[in-house]
Amino acid sequence: MSFRDDAEDGRGDLRKPFLHTGSWYRMGSRMGSSMLGSSRALRDKSISVVACVLIVALGPIQFGFTSGYSSPTQSAIIEDLGLTVSESLMIAAIPNIIGWLAISFARDSSFLYMGRLLEGFGVGIISYTVPVYIAEIAPQNLRGSLGSVNQLSVTLGIMLAYLLGLFVEWRILAVLGILPCTILIPGLFFIPESPRWLAKMGMTEDFETSLQVLRGFDADISIEVNEIKRSVASTTRRTTIRFADLKERRYWFPLMVGIGLLMLQQLSGINGVLFYSSTIFEAAGVKSSNAATFGVGAIQVIATAVTTWLVDKAGRRVLLIVSSFGMTLSLLVVAVSFFLKDVVSSDSSVYSIMGILSVVGVVAMVVTFSLGMGAIPWVIMSEILPINIKGLAGSIATLSNWFFAWVVTMTANLLLDWSSGGTFTIYMVVSAFTIVFVTLWVPETKGRTLEEIQWSFR
């Protein structure tokens, strides 16, 4: 065999999935074709898109549990391990997913660094892969709702961390953080691969089988198959994308929108509010700050569930604008409340009223964030990126999101120490700019196929 043949065989191996998920339906397809006919054999084994989404949603639950872990545990960790405030800030800032055992058995801050670093690696992958997978398997009329399940699962994980943090100590809470991924890993073997990814890799038979499984074996998939084939054919004429190609509008515009939305999502200060919500409530005069934090987490879950229901009815742009406007007003209320608290006597009734008002503003900010800016940037990012740069562009967008999440988390406590009112004023200005950004540049993707969305940027 020639060197060229070896190289081609090597490329062929690289085009195969590393993990053959959904192997049961492949086996069923082979058995069906040789014995009873593939469609009849597979009909009873078909798995719905909703079931696939629920399985992969365990990843974002892990993501949310990791994000919420800091709020109910930071004071106990500092006390047990003798950490300084700056050390605890650094540890809380590093995103997370697999290092729960390292955290649980921590004897000093180095274990916490290692655990958070390992968790951050896993969560970084989940935060990009899950919304893209859901967008690529979901039917057009359900893509927004199913895509929003990603953020709903994140908020559910945050709420569970807040709730369990009220009753168990931080080491046990770290052990409980293992559970979502423990269930997720075997679940991955029972879901099909993304049809669009298989089509891009040239696996035509597997691509059509996967799509048929997802749509049901009585469904006519011919139109969707032809759209995906046409899209893949038009984007794979030149397989290597260079940075110079990003100057083309069909590449730079969706990348700008995706990065912009994910940057603004974090710069609104939501992670600073959630990670240090207990501290914020204490500053506002709330005695049971951890219980109040759990209440915020529960409200966030409900608001995100409403978004999941609304997103395919109202549209993405409308919810983003309403969400950003609501956040701007809420943050204005919080900023004014903290500014007034600094100038009135702590014994006055005005001081107490401002404390209540600041809590109401924080809760309203979390609710309005959850109604749009929480879920929809991830949905839009997964919809608008062309398939041939989705890996590169999606990684850049996710990196931007996590970088600014780190910036906000690192600076939140420092800014709150400097000026609570000033901190929320900064977040308010970012939310106001988000309204302008969405109005001018974010396209409406409701009711359009992924191929139609991507063709519109040409």
Side-chain angles (χ1 to χ4, degrees):
M1 181 180 289
S2 69
F3 175 78
R4 182 174 179 176
D5 290 336
D6 287 336
E8 288 177 353
D9 288 346
R11 281 196 301 270
D13 290 338
L14 289 173
R15 291 161 71 92
K16 296 177 182 177
F18 178 72
L19 178 63
H20 287 276
T21 57
S23 56
W24 58 269
Y25 77 78
R26 285 180 234 275
M27 184 173 64
S29 180
R30 291 194 294 270
M31 291 172 58
S33 60
S34 61
M35 297 171 58
L36 301 174
S38 61
S39 64
R40 181 180 173 189
L42 285 170
R43 185 172 286 112
D44 294 335
K45 296 183 179 182
S46 66
I47 185 165
S48 70
V49 173
V50 174
C52 293
V53 170
L54 292 177
I55 290 172
V56 299
L58 289 166
I61 288 177
Q62 174 82 67
F63 178 178
F65 196 92
T66 302
S67 298
Y69 180 79
S70 298
S71 185
T73 61
Q74 58 178 330
S75 59
I77 290 174
I78 291 170
E79 182 179 346
D80 288 359
L81 300 184
L83 304 180
T84 66
V85 173
S86 60
E87 285 175 327
S88 66
L89 271 176
M90 180 70 76
I91 292 160
I94 303 175
N96 21 61
I97 195 190
I98 301 171
W100 289 117
L101 285 175
I103 294 174
S104 179
F105 294 104
R107 290 294 176 266
D108 54 45
S109 62
S110 63
F111 282 83
L112 298 182
Y113 280 115
M114 180 174 66
R116 286 304 233 184
L117 184 62
L118 291 171
E119 291 167 7
F121 179 78
V123 163
I125 295 172
I126 283 174
S127 63
Y128 165 67
T129 305
V130 171
V132 169
Y133 176 79
I134 293 174
E136 292 188 351
I137 70 170
Q140 168 188 324
N141 62 323
L142 293 175
R143 195 175 59 240
S145 296
L146 294 177
S148 298
V149 169
N150 175 63
Q151 183 66 17
L152 178 63
S153 299
V154 172
T155 60
L156 184 61
I158 292 172
M159 185 191 73
L160 287 173
Y162 288 167
L163 175 62
L164 294 172
L166 294 173
F167 303 104
V168 301
E169 59 113 7
W170 61 274
R171 295 183 189 274
I172 296 175
L173 189 62
V175 173
L176 294 175
I178 299 169
L179 294 179
C181 274
T182 304
I183 302 170
L184 171 65
I185 291 170
L188 290 174
F189 289 93
F190 294 92
I191 62 175
E193 187 54 82
S194 160
R196 287 174 172 82
W197 185 86
L198 292 170
K200 180 187 174 186
M201 294 294 104
M203 302 177 186
T204 305
E205 184 179 347
D206 284 343
F207 139 58
E208 294 186 17
T209 301
S210 176
L211 189 62
Q212 193 74 71
V213 168
L214 290 164
R215 299 294 179 261
F217 291 95
D218 294 325
D220 180 6
I221 62 169
S222 58
I223 294 175
E224 193 170 0
V225 165
N226 289 333
E227 285 182 347
I228 294 173
K229 285 181 176 178
R230 187 163 56 247
S231 174
V232 169
S234 68
T235 56
T236 55
R237 289 179 187 136
R238 184 172 66 205
T239 55
T240 303
I241 296 295
R242 299 169 298 180
F243 276 100
D245 296 328
L246 298 179
K247 294 178 182 178
E248 298 179 30
R249 187 181 187 277
R250 61 174 171 164
Y251 295 136
W252 71 257
F253 187 81
L255 184 57
M256 180 271 289
V257 171
I259 290 177
L261 282 175
L262 291 174
M263 279 176 49
L264 292 169
Q265 180 194 60
Q266 294 298 339
L267 290 174
S268 68
I270 187 63
N271 271 335
V273 171
L274 292 177
F275 285 8
Y276 301 109
S277 51
S278 294
T279 303
I280 293 169
F281 287 139
E282 284 176 9
V286 177
K287 293 181 179 178
S288 183
S289 57
N290 282 338
T293 299
F294 165 69
V296 169
I299 292 169
Q300 190 179 19
V301 171
I302 296 169
T304 308
V306 172
T307 303
T308 302
W309 175 69
L310 279 177
V311 68
D312 279 320
K313 296 178 174 62
R316 281 62 154 166
R317 274 171 54 88
V318 171
L319 288 178
L320 283 173
I321 292 170
V322 169
S323 172
S324 301
F325 184 74
M327 289 171 65
T328 303
L329 291 181
S330 302
L331 290 165
L332 176 62
V333 169
V334 178
V336 170
S337 299
F338 277 115
F339 277 131
L340 290 177
K341 281 187 69 179
D342 290 339
V343 298
V344 300
S345 170
S346 59
D347 297 326
S348 69
S349 58
V350 174
Y351 186 90
S352 300
I353 292 171
M354 290 301 104
I356 294 170
L357 202 58
S358 63
V359 171
V360 170
V362 167
V363 172
M365 185 259 190
V366 171
V367 169
T368 51
F369 173 85
S370 302
L371 287 175
M373 281 302 291
I376 295 178
W378 292 106
V379 172
I380 290 180
M381 184 274 290
S382 66
E383 291 176 327
I384 64 176
L385 297 179
I387 192 169
N388 58 328
I389 67 161
K390 190 166 278 188
L392 172 64
S395 298
I396 293 171
T398 305
L399 176 63
S400 301
N401 181 268
W402 278 111
F403 173 75
F404 284 101
W406 175 78
V407 169
V408 168
T409 307
M410 284 294 296
T411 58
N413 241 13
L414 299 175
L415 287 172
L416 287 169
D417 288 341
W418 160 67
S419 170
S420 296
T423 302
F424 286 100
T425 300
I426 294 170
Y427 298 156
M428 180 195 70
V429 171
V430 173
S431 296
F433 176 73
T434 304
I435 301 172
V436 177
F437 182 86
V438 173
T439 303
L440 293 179
W441 293 301
V442 176
E444 181 55 73
T445 58
K446 182 188 78 167
R448 303 161 74 187
T449 66
L450 295 181
E451 290 68 36
E452 288 172 344
I453 295 166
Q454 288 150 23
W455 271 99
S456 69
F457 297 125
R458 293 176 181 269

